[in-house]
Amino acid sequence: MTSRTGFFVLSAVLLLVAVVCVGEGVQLIATGKPLGIGLGACAFVIPGIGVWFLRQTVRFGRASERMARELEAEGGLPVDELRRTPGGRIDRDSADEVFARRQEEAESAPGDWRVWFRLAVAYADAGDTPRARRTMQHAIRLHAASGPAPVAG
């Protein structure tokens, strides 16, 4: 199963569970008992948090894909220049070398979303997913602030 398919399956399950949870919340509130009302209210809040998180994840993915397509059209996507072990894993020293170059690029052009995008990819290649995500979010903010992409033609 591809990661995209898995994401859609898990999203559908989350939405189904949210609907069931809200239905149970309505029934608990309908009991009229203080404990039932309290639990019923919680049954509305928890699915709301889950749906909010799902929305944020979808927005992040769409923005990242949009930026990747734009970089690809410009010929600016990072090239896979990483050495790999015989088992196919990324060589740590190779990832560190690429990361150092990407970090220098980001420091020299702090307002360019393209270098931050490439730095996020380098973080991901180095195995630092939390920093990769934060860096990609920074690139998304810079991209949004730079305005719409120029139309070719």
Side-chain angles (χ1 to χ4, degrees), residues 12-25:
V13 170
L14 172 70
L15 293 174
L16 178 65
V17 168
V19 168
V20 169
C21 194
V22 168
E24 292 295 319

Side-chain angles (χ1 to χ4, degrees), residues 10 25 38 66 69 78 89 98-99 125 153:
L10 289 175
R66 184 172 41 251
R69 284 192 304 271
R89 292 182 181 258
V98 172
F99 173 77
D125 290 342

Side-chain angles (χ1 to χ4, degrees), residues 6 15-16 18 28 55 65 88 94 107 118 135 138 141 143:
L15 293 174
L16 178 65
L28 283 167
R55 178 179 177 266
E65 284 183 16
S94 174
E107 289 170 357
R118 289 189 283 269
T135 305
H138 181 68
R141 285 190 298 273
H143 184 263

Side-chain angles (χ1 to χ4, degrees), residues 10-127:
L10 289 175
S11 297
V13 170
L14 172 70
L15 293 174
L16 178 65
V17 168
V19 168
V20 169
C21 194
V22 168
E24 292 295 319
V26 169
Q27 290 179 353
L28 283 167
I29 290 172
T31 64
K33 296 179 182 176
L35 184 59
I37 293 171
L39 288 173
C42 289
F44 287 118
V45 173
I46 293 171
I49 293 169
V51 170
W52 174 83
F53 182 75
L54 177 63
R55 178 179 177 266
Q56 293 301 103
T57 302
V58 169
R59 289 180 68 199
F60 177 83
R62 284 185 177 169
S64 299
E65 284 183 16
R66 184 172 41 251
M67 290 170 25
R69 284 192 304 271
E70 192 172 327
L71 267 179
E72 183 179 31
E74 295 173 356
L77 273 180
V79 178
D80 186 5
E81 54 191 310
L82 300 169
R83 293 184 304 276
R84 301 191 188 278
T85 65
R89 292 182 181 258
I90 294 173
D91 178 57
R92 180 73 177 181
D93 293 334
S94 174
D96 289 343
E97 290 171 16
V98 172
F99 173 77
R101 279 201 322 270
R102 300 292 184 224
Q103 191 170 27
E104 287 176 16
E105 291 174 5
E107 289 170 357
S108 67
D112 186 1
W113 66 266
R114 293 162 185 84
V115 296
W116 288 96
F117 182 97
R118 289 189 283 269
L119 180 60
V121 172
Y123 269 124
D125 290 342

